[in-house]
C-alpha cells in the first residue's frame, strides 16, 4: 500500500484525491487501470469519501474497485487484497457513522 504523496501526516481528502486520480490517467506514461498506484489511489478515495461522511460515494467507489479487481485479478494478488481491505474499511467507517448518529 502506498503512502499518500501529500499531507504525509494526515489522510488525503476527497478534494486532493480526485485530481490525483485524474492525473494518473493523463499523459503518454499513464499507467493502466490495474497498476498498483491506481488501485491504491482508488482505495484511498473510497476511504476518504467514507471519512468525510459521503457514504453513498464511498460505497459506490469501493464496490466498483472490488468488482474490477475480482474480474481482472487473482484473489491473492496484492492489488485485490488492497481493494478488499479498502472495502472492509469503508464499510466499517460507514457503519461507525451510522451508529453515532
Amino acid at each position: 500500500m502506498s503512502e499518500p504523496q501529500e499531507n504525509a501526516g494526515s489522510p488525503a481528502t476527497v478534494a486532493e484525491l480526485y485530481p490525483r486520480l485524474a492525473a494518473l490517467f493523463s499523459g503518454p506514461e499513464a499507467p493502466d487501470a490495474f497498476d498498483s498506484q491506481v488501485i491504491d489511489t482508488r482505495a484511498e478515495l473510497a476511504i476518504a469519501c467514507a471519512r468525510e461522511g459521503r457514504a453513498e460515494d464511498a460505497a459506490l467507489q469501493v464496490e466498483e474497485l472490488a468488482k474490477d479487481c475480482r474480474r481482472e485479478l487473482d484473489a491473492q494478488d496484492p492489488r485485490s487484497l488492497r481493494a478488499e481491505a479498502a472495502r472492509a474499511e469503508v464499510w466499517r467507517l460507514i457503519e461507525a457513522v451510522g451508529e453515532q448518529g
Side-chain angles (χ1 to χ4, degrees):
M1 176 171 28
S2 69
E3 289 297 317
Q5 296 170 1
E6 303 166 21
N7 298 330
S10 63
T13 66
V14 169
E16 295 166 339
L17 289 164
Y18 273 120
R20 187 187 308 170
L21 186 60
L24 285 173
F25 292 113
S26 63
E29 300 294 320
D32 72 38
F34 294 96
D35 182 88
S36 293
Q37 189 175 13
V38 173
I39 299 297
D40 285 347
T41 303
R42 288 179 68 191
E44 286 181 60
L45 178 59
I47 292 168
C49 285
R51 282 191 184 119
E52 293 178 18
R54 298 170 58 174
E56 189 173 327
D57 289 341
L60 178 64
Q61 293 282 343
V62 82
E63 291 301 329
E64 286 299 313
L65 174 60
K67 181 174 71 174
D68 290 346
C69 288
R70 282 192 300 270
R71 184 183 66 242
E72 297 292 330
L73 305 169
D74 181 83
Q76 295 306 307
D77 186 291
R79 296 166 294 175
S80 293
L81 297 173
R82 171 65 171 126
E84 291 301 326
R87 185 173 182 268
E89 178 66 5
V90 162
W91 286 108
R92 185 192 69 74
L93 288 165
I94 290 171
E95 290 171 4
V97 168
E99 291 172 4
Q100 293 175 4

